[in-house]
Amino acid sequence: MALQHFGWFLGAGFGVQGWGDPTYGIGYDWKQPPVYQDAARVFEAAGLDLFIIEDGVTVPDTYGGTAEVNLRDARFVPKHDPLPLVPYLLSATERLGIVPTLSASFYEPFTAARLLATLQHFAGGRLGFNVVTSGSDIAAQNYGLDKQIDHDLRYDRAQEWVDVVRKLWRSWEPDAILQDTANGVFADFEKVHTIDHRGEFFQVRGPLNTAPLASEPVMVQAGASGRGQAFAGQNSDVILQLASTPERMRSYRDSIRAVAAEAGRDPDDLKVLFVVNPIVTANDEESAAVRARRSQLTQAAIDEALQGVSYLSGVDFKTFDLDAPLPELTTNSNQGTLDNFVKSAPAGSTLREILQARANKDGLAVIGTADQIADHLGELSDEVGGDGFLFTGQVHPAHVHRTLDPLVPALRRRGLLRDELGDGGLRANLTDF
Ligand SMILES: Cc1cc2nc3c(=O)[nH]c(=O)nc-3n(C[C@H](O)[C@H](O)[C@H](O)COP(=O)(O)O)c2cc1C
């Protein structure tokens, strides 16, 4: 067992935390920063490297062609913009990496480069950004398009976007600012350059008008399809990924590392972090009760699962007969998510069988006592050869403490979790080991 990197992926984004839980809303307002600041402080004390905040730009209405379930159950909506939350999280912490999600499809590269550079100056090297391409047509329709551009082309465009953002960050030489009061020279004009980018998708003159960066924000990505992996493998510092079995984790990691090597990178510069949902129980009886509850395919559980996969894949799963084999499906949206879902059960399975298989396997959930979960994560890291894990879940303090208070010491006893974060910024912490 070796030291692992850990983080927290806030899958609900800057949105409703814990709707449906008995603790919902007690002592906090999800629309205000304190609940996220409190969580960030706990993550930092726990030694987690980074806090990633999901984002999306729609009121999802794919499931059944209506937003009813999403609005009724507060699933993926309402959701606030994570970028204005970042300074609050930075001010609550000193070492934790803060990673908002940003859409390469809808932010102009100049706007993104400027925003992220400004935030990185506040962050002192602790900023990351999760780059997404926003696959759904309803998102595209909020930005003047009739439909989202084709999947692979979207990644081609995102590649050029990343190139432009990085060129802008490098448009000032690191020592361009002199602040030479004796000679009256603030900045050396010969060290600030236009980028004159004229590509297939963007035309950007530059230079950026923010001050140069001591370190560029850490890029995070979750591409899973062939084209998505090529994009992530070529550009990303951190990959966040969903995979429900050790075999899939291993094969994903091998594949993305090979892509990175082909792109001329050292694969060890790329940290692949798998999302897990730890459900900490007091004993085996409680674990059995949790498993029994989660494996029941109630209508609420069916709606919950299907609205989620409909949202993420852009395919309306309400249109399929639960008891007929699922037809062959393709999507222009998140291909990896759809593939993972469909392959949860043998080919030819009905939708109900797929849902049941996922419920029985508990998906990303790891249910057990803190020691059992820590053992499991240790074994998983040995088997997958992975770099670490992202815990997921809402950030109501009751949930955060219920999870991390027992789990952190159990992970530390096994040498899996560091005692404390270094103070050199997110990139330095990620490359410590
Ligand atoms: C763990 C995880 C987190 C993600 N977070 C977001 C997000 O915050 N916003 C978003 O629009 N897409 C998000 N995605 C979607 C990915 O950015 C990407 O589009 C998806 O993995 C599909 O890529 P593929 O078509 O290459 O398989 C996430 C995906 C995964 C697996």
Side-chain angles (χ1 to χ4, degrees), residues 21 40 72 76 127 135 140 156 170 173 180 233 244 272 285 295 302 363 367 373 384 413:
D21 278 19
R72 184 192 69 201
F76 301 110
L127 188 73
D156 294 345
R170 294 165 196 173
E173 293 179 36
D180 178 352
S244 47
V272 183
E285 290 72 43
S295 66
I302 292 172
I367 301 163
I373 294 176
V384 176
R413 279 196 297 275

Side-chain angles (χ1 to χ4, degrees), residues 42-353:
V42 176
F43 299 159
E44 178 162 279
L48 307 191
D49 288 38
L50 71 173
F51 181 14
I52 305 176
I53 304 149
E54 181 267 6
D55 196 31
V57 288
T58 63
V59 173
D61 60 6
T62 306
Y63 184 50
T66 157
E68 180 186 348
V69 171
N70 295 83
L71 287 168
R72 184 192 69 201
D73 297 346
R75 293 297 182 250
F76 301 110
V77 65
K79 186 174 292 177
H80 288 186
D81 191 315
L83 284 180
L85 187 60
V86 171
Y88 288 92
L89 299 179
L90 291 169
S91 75
T93 51
E94 288 171 1
R95 298 183 172 197
L96 180 71
I98 305 296
V99 184
T101 294
L102 196 98
S103 175
S105 297
F106 304 134
Y107 272 85
E108 283 293 321
F110 192 92
T111 311
R114 189 164 187 242
L115 268 171
L116 292 171
T118 305
L119 289 172
Q120 179 72 321
H121 279 283
F122 296 175
R126 291 197 282 134
L127 188 73
F129 61 116
N130 175 29
V131 183
V132 300
T133 61
S134 310
S136 74
D137 289 342
I138 61 170
Q141 286 157 12
N142 289 333
Y143 292 87
L145 301 172
D146 289 333
K147 61 194 278 291
Q148 185 48 289
I149 62 175
D150 286 349
H151 180 270
D152 287 11
L153 196 63
R154 210 160 69 231
Y155 275 117
D156 294 345
R157 189 177 178 281
Q159 180 61 56
E160 194 179 323
W161 184 95
V162 169
D163 293 341
V164 175
V165 167
R166 286 183 169 157
K167 277 194 209 173
L168 285 166
W169 284 337
R170 294 165 196 173
S171 61
W172 290 53
E173 293 179 36
D175 55 353
I177 293 186
L178 303 174
Q179 301 192 89
D180 178 352
T181 47
N183 293 303
V185 181
F186 182 81
D188 180 348
F189 77 101
E190 290 188 325
K191 293 189 171 176
V192 181
H193 311 283
T194 59
I195 67 166
D196 298 313
H197 177 88
R198 296 180 84 82
E200 189 182 348
F201 303 97
F202 302 106
Q203 281 188 32
V204 183
R205 181 176 185 272
L208 199 60
N209 61 347
T210 54
L213 291 168
S215 72
E216 292 177 8
V218 164
M219 179 173 152
V220 177
Q221 224 282 323
S225 61
R227 184 65 188 91
Q229 285 194 34
F231 175 68
Q234 185 170 343
N235 304 293
S236 225
D237 301 300
V238 172
I239 310 266
L240 72 159
Q241 201 44 249
L242 302 175
S244 47
T245 64
E247 298 73 39
R248 281 197 205 158
M249 290 179 179
R250 192 178 182 84
S251 107
Y252 180 86
R253 183 164 184 271
D254 289 349
S255 159
I256 197 90
R257 283 171 63 85
V259 171
E262 266 167 46
R265 300 181 64 195
D266 178 351
D268 289 337
D269 288 346
L270 194 71
K271 302 296 174 188
V272 183
L273 307 182
F274 290 101
V275 177
V276 293
N277 177 17
I279 301 178
V280 183
T281 62
N283 50 43
D284 290 345
E285 290 72 43
E286 194 187 342
S287 300
V290 171
R291 281 202 187 90
R293 195 170 62 240
R294 289 173 63 93
S295 66
Q296 279 171 15
L297 264 197
T298 59
Q299 187 57 46
I302 292 172
D303 276 346
E304 168 68 16
L306 294 184
Q307 65 77 25
V309 68
S310 298
Y311 168 68
L312 295 169
S313 70
V315 174
D316 180 3
F317 277 81
K318 187 114 188 176
T319 58
F320 304 122
D321 183 343
L322 280 172
D323 296 305
L326 200 58
E328 188 91 356
L329 296 172
T330 55
T331 180
N332 189 42
S333 187
N334 299 345
Q335 294 181 353
T337 311
L338 181 64
D339 198 50
N340 250 326
F341 180 81
V342 171
K343 289 189 180 149
S344 308
S349 296
T350 66
L351 184 51
R352 194 187 299 277
E353 285 163 349

